[in-house]
Amino acid sequence: MADPTIQNFLDRIGYSLVDHVGPVPFTFKFYLIKSSEPNAFALPGGYIFMTTGLINMAENEHEIAGVLSHEIAHVTGRHLAQLMEKGKKINIASLVAILAAMLAGRGGVGSQAAATLATATAEALTLKYTREMEMDADQNGLNYLMKAGYDPNGVISIFKKLFKYSLVSATNIPPYLSTHPAIENRISFLENLLQIEPRISGPFKTFGNFKRVQTKAFIEEREPQVAVTQFQSMVDSNPQDPEAYYGLGLAFQRMGRLDKSIEALEQAHFQAPMDLDISRELGITYFLSGKVDQAIEILETVRSRPEYDGNPDLLVLYYLGRGYQMKENFVQALQLFQRVQKGWPKFVDVLLHLGSVYGRTGQKGLSHFYYGRYFKLKGDTKVALLHFRTALEGLEKGSPEREEALKEIQGLSSPRR
C-alpha cells in the first residue's frame, strides 16, 4: 500500500483532472510504483501508474499534473487499448478484470492471472504510440491541464527534464521515453500550442507542500540506510532545518530504529511545533514505540487544530484509535475506526481492529463480520467464509451487514472456474 500522503496527493491531482474529461465507462484509479526510474504509464480501464522516481525528478505539482493529464488523455483516446487489441496478445476485458481484482486486494487471483497481468504490463511498456496518438494525447492532456487550473508549462518542463535524463542515461532509457518517441519534437508542438492558446497567468491550483511529498517518495523508493545517510547529511549541513530532521525521522522509522526516529522528529517538532505533518509522524512513532499516552496526547492535538476540521487525516484517526484500543477505551476506538473505514475503504488493517473492538464490546456478530471482510481481502477464503457464517448468528435479520454476509457466503462458497 502506498504511503497515504503520496496516494492522497496523486488522487487529488488526478481526479481534479478527470473532472474535465467528460463521461467515461469506468472510474480512473491512480497508483504509485516504487522505482527510481522516472516513469508513468496507463493501462486500459483508467489505471494510471507513476513511479517515485518521477515524483522525485519533478520540481512542482504542475509537472506531476502534466504527466497525469497526458496519461489520462491516452486512456480517453483508447490508444493503448487499440494497440493491444491490434496485437491480439491479450483480451482487454480480461486484463481489466484481473487488474481490478489484484489492485483491490481481493483474493482468488491465481498465479496464472498474475502472470497475465505482468505480461500485459510489460507489453504496455514496450508498445509504441503512433505520432498521431501522441499528438492527440499532448493536445487533449494540455486541455485537461488548463481546465483544471494547473500551469500548462508544467508538462513542458517535465518533458524537458525527461529528455535530459534520456541523454545522460543512454544505456538505460526509462520505458516512459521509449513509449513516447520524439519527445523533443513534442515539446516544440506543446510550446506552439501554448502560443495560440489564450495566455494564462494564474493563480494556479496547488494542493500543499510538494517537498513533503517528495521526501516521502524518496524514503519509499530508497533503502532505509541510504535515506538515513541522505537526510543525516542535510542535518549536518543545516542543523536548524526541520525538513531535514523530518526526513531523518521518517528514514529511521522505516529502518525500525524508533528511538532514533523519535529523537529526530522531536527535534523537528521543537523547531516547527505548529507543523501538522511533523506532529502526526511524531505521534505515530510514539505509538509504534509503545509510548501510548504520548501518542494520544500529540495526535489529539493534531485532531483539534482548526485547519484539520473538515479535512481529517485518516492515518491520525487510525493510530489514535489504536491508542484508545490499547487503553481499553473501546467506545472512542470504535468511533475512530468507523470513520477510518468509511473514508478509507481500501485500508485493510482497520477491518482487523474493528473486528477486535466489536468483539471486546460483546457485539460478536459485527466482530465476525469485520473479521470476514479482513480475511477475504487478505485472500484467505476459508477463514473469511468461517467468520461470515459465524457472523450470521449475531447479526439482526434485515441489517445491511447480515445481507452483505449472506452475499459473501454465497460468493465464497461458489465453485471457482
Side-chain angles (χ1 to χ4, degrees), residues 93-139:
S94 297
L95 167 63
V96 171
I98 293 167
L99 187 63
M102 294 187 73
L103 293 176
R106 295 207 297 262
V109 181
S111 59
Q112 183 178 357
T116 302
L117 175 61
T119 300
T121 302
E123 184 180 331
L125 290 172
T126 56
L127 288 173
K128 294 184 182 296
Y129 293 120
T130 66
R131 175 183 175 84
E132 291 75 20
M133 288 176 175
E134 286 296 6
M135 291 181 68
D136 181 64
D138 286 336
Q139 190 162 6

Side-chain angles (χ1 to χ4, degrees), residues 91-236:
N91 180 278
I92 298 299
S94 297
L95 167 63
V96 171
I98 293 167
L99 187 63
M102 294 187 73
L103 293 176
R106 295 207 297 262
V109 181
S111 59
Q112 183 178 357
T116 302
L117 175 61
T119 300
T121 302
E123 184 180 331
L125 290 172
T126 56
L127 288 173
K128 294 184 182 296
Y129 293 120
T130 66
R131 175 183 175 84
E132 291 75 20
M133 288 176 175
E134 286 296 6
M135 291 181 68
D136 181 64
D138 286 336
Q139 190 162 6
N140 287 327
L142 188 66
N143 184 40
Y144 300 153
L145 199 63
M146 290 190 293
K147 284 184 176 180
Y150 293 101
D151 185 352
N153 290 292
V155 66
I156 295 173
S157 58
I158 192 63
F159 277 10
K160 286 180 177 178
K161 289 182 176 70
L162 287 164
F163 180 55
K164 289 179 181 178
Y165 178 87
S166 72
L167 295 178
V168 299
S169 305
T171 59
N172 188 32
I173 296 176
Y176 187 80
L177 296 183
S178 67
T179 58
H180 297 71
I183 194 168
E184 65 272 33
N185 294 334
R186 289 172 42 231
I187 290 171
S188 298
F189 174 65
L190 285 165
E191 289 175 334
N192 290 335
L193 282 178
L194 282 182
Q195 290 297 319
I196 61 177
E197 292 286 346
R199 185 173 296 277
I200 300 175
S201 58
F204 298 113
K205 182 175 293 185
T206 181
F207 282 130
N209 190 336
F210 179 64
K211 291 300 180 185
R212 258 317 138 72
V213 173
Q214 283 188 312
T215 294
K216 290 217 161 188
F218 183 85
I219 292 169
E220 285 274 312
E221 173 191 315
R222 304 301 174 95
E223 290 296 323
Q225 185 57 58
V226 174
V228 165
T229 301
Q230 169 71 14
F231 289 107
Q232 184 63 61
S233 67
M234 293 171 62
V235 167
D236 294 340

Side-chain angles (χ1 to χ4, degrees), residues 376 381 384-386 388-389 392 401-416:
K376 179 195 171 186
T381 303
L385 190 55
L386 175 63
F388 282 128
R389 284 172 172 163
L392 294 180
E401 291 83 5
R402 184 180 177 85
E403 294 303 314
E404 184 177 338
L406 288 168
K407 289 179 182 178
E408 293 289 1
I409 291 169
Q410 183 179 5
L412 294 172
S413 301
S414 301
R416 296 188 179 277

Side-chain angles (χ1 to χ4, degrees), residues 229-250:
T229 301
Q230 169 71 14
F231 289 107
Q232 184 63 61
S233 67
M234 293 171 62
V235 167
D236 294 340
S237 298
N238 185 4
Q240 306 304 315
D241 181 12
E243 292 296 321
Y245 284 106
Y246 173 76
L248 184 61
L250 291 184

Side-chain angles (χ1 to χ4, degrees), residues 373-391:
R373 292 184 62 186
Y374 172 79
F375 284 107
K376 179 195 171 186
L377 289 171
K378 283 293 186 179
D380 196 333
T381 303
K382 290 183 179 179
V383 176
L385 190 55
L386 175 63
H387 280 293
F388 282 128
R389 284 172 172 163
T390 308

